[in-house]
Amino acid sequence: MEVMSGFYWDSGKKEINQDSVLVEQVNTGKGRILLAAVSDGIGGLPAGEVASGFLMERLQQHFYEEILPLIRKGKSSKKIRHSFFRCLYETVGMLQKYADSREISLGATLSVLLLMKRRYLILHVGDSRIYEIRKKRIRQLTEDHRGEGNILTRCMGSFPMSEVYVRFGRYHKKTGFLLCSDGFWGRAAEELLREMLDPSEILTEEQIQKRLSEIGSYGKRQGERDNLSAIYVLLKREEEGFEGNSL
């Protein structure tokens, strides 16, 4: 699979950008493996950028030390998912210790996308989102964990471990995946996202960067004050001749 990607990261009207993003790609004997993630630090709590940044650091480390070896060994989707869960539980424990030592509460959303062997795995907590854009259609692949008054009901941080939303699926050529914080999608209608990030209209990574920036600028013109972060991953063609156990 030919993969192109780009990201957008803007503090909006705030002094500190509490969002964090991560994109990692590796070519292996099992094909190209990609990990992407977006985390939005909770603005109403102190040190949101610490929570989101630490989540990205832990995911990056776990991807290379645990996930890639499992994939290379042909391990099952259950083992891969459990490995991610173990990483998240350990990370929440570390964040709890950090918060307790400073007598604070901190937290962040987390949306993770793993692409491998023509399959995707999504792990998600909070109100950041992952969209699939394909054949002139856009589909939200995550659920928003919000309650009355748009109050966040799940997050990662100095709280008991939240239930993680998990989704498996198959991906196809000419498909785009958009991961974004609520500051990015909040003022942009899905129709705008679909039109601007139509896979058939994008040929280069420079175009991805430009279009993400245009969407972000539109949101700010519409009055968005929150941090705005997004990653767009575009799959252009299927790999040939690869056989293996599907995720």
Side-chain angles (χ1 to χ4, degrees):
M1 180 72 68
E2 179 187 352
V3 181
M4 295 190 296
S5 64
F7 72 93
Y8 178 77
W9 192 74
D10 192 283
S11 60
K13 300 295 184 180
K14 296 188 175 183
E15 293 184 8
I16 298 175
N17 193 338
Q18 295 185 314
D19 292 356
S20 296
V21 299
L22 172 70
V23 182
E24 300 289 340
Q25 290 189 57
V26 178
N27 287 319
T28 73
K30 300 292 186 180
R32 182 170 295 193
I33 312 300
L34 179 140
L35 178 74
V38 167
S39 181
D40 178 359
I42 298 174
L45 299 176
E49 70 280 6
V50 173
S52 67
F54 187 62
L55 283 167
M56 296 297 100
E57 289 178 11
R58 289 282 296 163
L59 278 172
Q60 182 184 50
Q61 179 182 10
H62 193 74
F63 176 65
Y64 285 103
E65 294 182 357
E66 300 286 342
I67 300 302
L68 283 178
L70 287 174
I71 293 172
R72 290 185 174 117
K73 293 175 182 177
K75 297 301 181 179
S76 68
S77 60
K78 184 177 180 180
K79 288 188 178 296
I80 292 171
R81 184 184 64 210
H82 283 178
S83 180
F84 270 121
F85 282 174
R86 187 176 68 254
C87 172
L88 296 181
Y89 274 103
E90 291 173 353
T91 302
V92 165
M94 293 176 183
L95 287 172
Q96 289 172 338
K97 289 181 179 179
Y98 175 88
D100 289 345
S101 69
R102 288 159 177 78
E103 298 183 343
I104 62 172
S105 294
L106 75 169
T109 70
L110 181 64
S111 297
V112 181
L113 174 70
L114 176 70
L115 300 179
M116 56 164 287
K117 297 186 287 187
R118 302 193 186 99
R119 295 274 182 170
Y120 66 75
L121 166 64
I122 286 172
L123 303 169
H124 166 77
V125 176
D127 61 358
S128 295
R129 290 181 177 179
I130 300 180
Y131 292 97
E132 177 191 61
I133 303 171
R134 180 172 179 262
K135 292 185 175 179
K136 306 291 183 179
R137 297 176 183 174
I138 184 167
R139 180 170 60 135
Q140 184 178 337
L141 299 180
T142 54
E143 58 185 26
D144 296 337
H145 298 145
R146 288 181 172 185
E148 276 188 44
N150 278 333
I151 300 300
L152 196 66
T153 57
R154 299 187 204 174
C155 72
M156 306 289 293
S158 56
F159 313 96
M161 179 69 184
S162 293
E163 180 183 354
V164 179
Y165 173 87
V166 179
R167 182 172 185 145
F168 291 98
R170 181 177 292 274
Y171 64 77
H172 307 271
K173 63 182 178 179
K174 296 182 181 178
T175 297
F177 289 97
L178 173 66
L179 298 82
C180 54
S181 63
D182 65 328
F184 189 85
W185 63 258
R187 303 279 179 168
E190 289 189 355
E191 181 67 16
L192 174 64
L193 300 177
R194 182 191 64 78
E195 289 182 0
M196 292 292 291
L197 299 174
D198 182 348
S200 65
E201 299 292 329
I202 297 177
L203 300 177
T204 67
E205 291 189 332
E206 287 75 15
Q207 284 180 293
I208 293 176
Q209 295 287 154
K210 181 179 179 181
R211 294 189 180 209
L212 289 177
S213 179
E214 289 174 354
I215 295 170
S217 295
Y218 170 83
K220 289 190 288 184
R221 290 197 303 272
Q222 296 301 308
E224 183 59 63
R225 303 186 63 83
D226 201 359
N227 305 147
L228 303 92
S229 298
I231 299 169
Y232 187 63
V233 178
L234 179 56
L235 312 172
K236 296 297 287 185
R237 69 167 183 267
E238 293 183 343
E239 296 171 84
E240 299 295 331
F242 170 69
E243 297 294 337
N245 297 324
S246 62
L247 182 66

